[in-house]
Amino acid sequence: MGDDLGDEWWTHEGNSGVSDAEEETQTEKQPTEKTNAKIKPEKRKRVTEKTVKAKKTKKNEQKECIIPQKKEIEDEKSAKPKRKRKKTITDVLSSSEPKPGCPADLQSLVTQYFSDKRSVIEQEELKLLDSCFLSSNDLTHTLSSYLKQVCPKWSKIQKQHTEKSSVVLLIVCSSALRTIELIKQLTAFKGEAKALKLFAKHIKIEEQVKLLQKGVTHIGVGTPGRISALIEKEGLGLQALRYVVLDWNWRDQKLRRMVDVPEVKLDFMKLLENGILNGCKEDKIKIGLF
């Protein structure tokens, strides 16, 4: 009995010793596991930081590789010869001194325009004699001083004019704004004569026809397109017309004359065909280049 109790006591103590050792090892393992758990996210952070740095270095290396390629392309572009810009009318006119227009300029323009539209015989008929022209502006005149020179008997002529839907003097220019400017410049010349604006901007053609029919108009100032349209609609007659003054030498902001603008040039040629050239040949109309 005594031996059995002794053995039981020994085994109990032994077991308790083992269990204590195991408990100690378990307690020792627990903090290590916690520390390991703490270490893992730190390691992840370090890993992620390393990967980010590696990516940045790769990107920088790629940029460094790309930059010299761009420089090479720029060098190649600079080495290529640049295309020369075509000269415009503005470039040519800005480099040359303005020359006053003359009857020969108008005649050459007419022959050039109708060269592929008329036969040789018809082209000969289009030629105007020197007697068809008034003296040209030498670039020293204002509009009033020029008109006083070419129409010295204006006061008498305007008094004799009594026909409606017709004018004695027709001034042809390139735009509506230029028309208004020229009408203002007429003050010193026109006296008691009535001047009418003949352009398409903001004014209906029917209104202009009514104004021409309503009273006697001595001077018409406007664009070739609207004047030609009025002649075609029989709103403006040429029976009383004696003088046609072309705003030939004036240039716009792009240094273009009236005949340098393609659409205005076409309208002007149409106007010449609508009775002006025939009137000149019949010695009824005189043309002046202002």
Side-chain angles (χ1 to χ4, degrees), residues 5-228:
L5 288 168
D7 292 336
E8 285 178 5
W9 175 82
W10 183 83
T11 53
H12 178 73
E13 275 190 349
N15 289 333
S16 66
V18 172
S19 63
D20 290 336
E22 284 177 358
E23 283 177 1
E24 284 177 2
T25 52
Q26 283 175 1
T27 51
E28 284 176 0
K29 283 180 183 179
Q30 281 177 359
T32 55
E33 283 176 1
K34 286 180 183 178
T35 52
N36 287 334
K38 286 180 182 178
I39 288 163
K40 280 181 183 178
E42 286 179 2
K43 281 184 180 179
R44 282 177 187 171
K45 283 181 183 178
R46 286 176 187 172
V47 170
T48 51
E49 284 175 1
K50 284 180 182 178
T51 52
V52 169
K53 284 180 183 179
K55 284 179 182 178
K56 282 183 180 179
T57 52
K58 281 182 181 179
K59 282 183 181 178
N60 291 329
E61 284 174 3
Q62 285 175 357
K63 283 181 182 178
E64 286 173 0
C65 293
I66 291 163
I67 289 163
Q69 285 178 2
K70 284 183 180 177
K71 285 182 180 178
E72 285 174 6
I73 291 161
E74 287 174 0
D75 293 335
E76 284 176 5
K77 283 182 180 178
S78 60
K80 286 180 181 179
K82 291 181 179 179
R83 289 182 181 178
K84 289 183 179 179
R85 186 172 65 86
K86 289 182 180 180
K87 285 186 177 181
T88 60
I89 295 169
T90 307
D91 295 329
V92 174
L93 293 173
S94 60
S95 61
S96 62
E97 292 181 4
K99 292 180 181 179
C102 62
D105 294 333
L106 177 60
Q107 190 65 66
S108 63
L109 183 74
V110 171
T111 52
Q112 186 183 356
Y113 178 77
F114 290 109
S115 61
D116 58 345
K117 298 174 180 66
R118 297 284 188 276
S119 64
V120 177
I121 298 166
E122 286 173 336
Q123 285 179 38
E124 286 294 324
E125 291 175 356
L126 291 170
K127 286 184 179 179
L128 298 172
L129 299 172
D130 293 337
S131 60
C132 297
F133 293 94
L134 300 165
S135 60
S136 301
N137 179 22
D138 58 359
L139 304 181
T140 60
H141 285 284
T142 62
L143 181 60
S144 288
S145 65
Y146 174 71
L147 291 173
K148 283 177 183 179
Q149 181 184 334
V150 297
C151 309
K153 297 178 181 179
W154 176 251
S155 59
K156 185 180 178 181
I157 292 166
Q158 71 166 4
K159 285 175 184 176
Q160 290 175 348
H161 177 59
T162 56
E163 289 186 48
K164 294 180 180 180
S165 299
S166 186
V167 295
V168 180
L169 170 61
L170 197 58
I171 302 171
V172 185
C173 61
S174 59
S175 66
L177 288 172
R178 182 61 179 163
T179 299
I180 294 163
E181 285 177 16
L182 291 174
I183 287 172
K184 287 177 183 177
Q185 292 178 27
L186 282 171
T187 308
F189 168 76
K190 70 176 184 176
E192 295 178 0
K194 183 184 176 183
L196 189 64
K197 295 177 283 188
L198 303 175
F199 55 76
K201 195 173 185 180
H202 305 308
I203 304 172
K204 292 180 180 179
I205 193 166
E206 291 79 14
E207 291 176 12
Q208 289 169 339
V209 170
K210 285 178 183 178
L211 287 169
L212 287 164
Q213 290 172 349
K214 193 175 182 180
V216 177
T217 306
H218 303 85
I219 305 169
V221 187
T223 55
R226 177 47 62 92
I227 294 168
S228 186

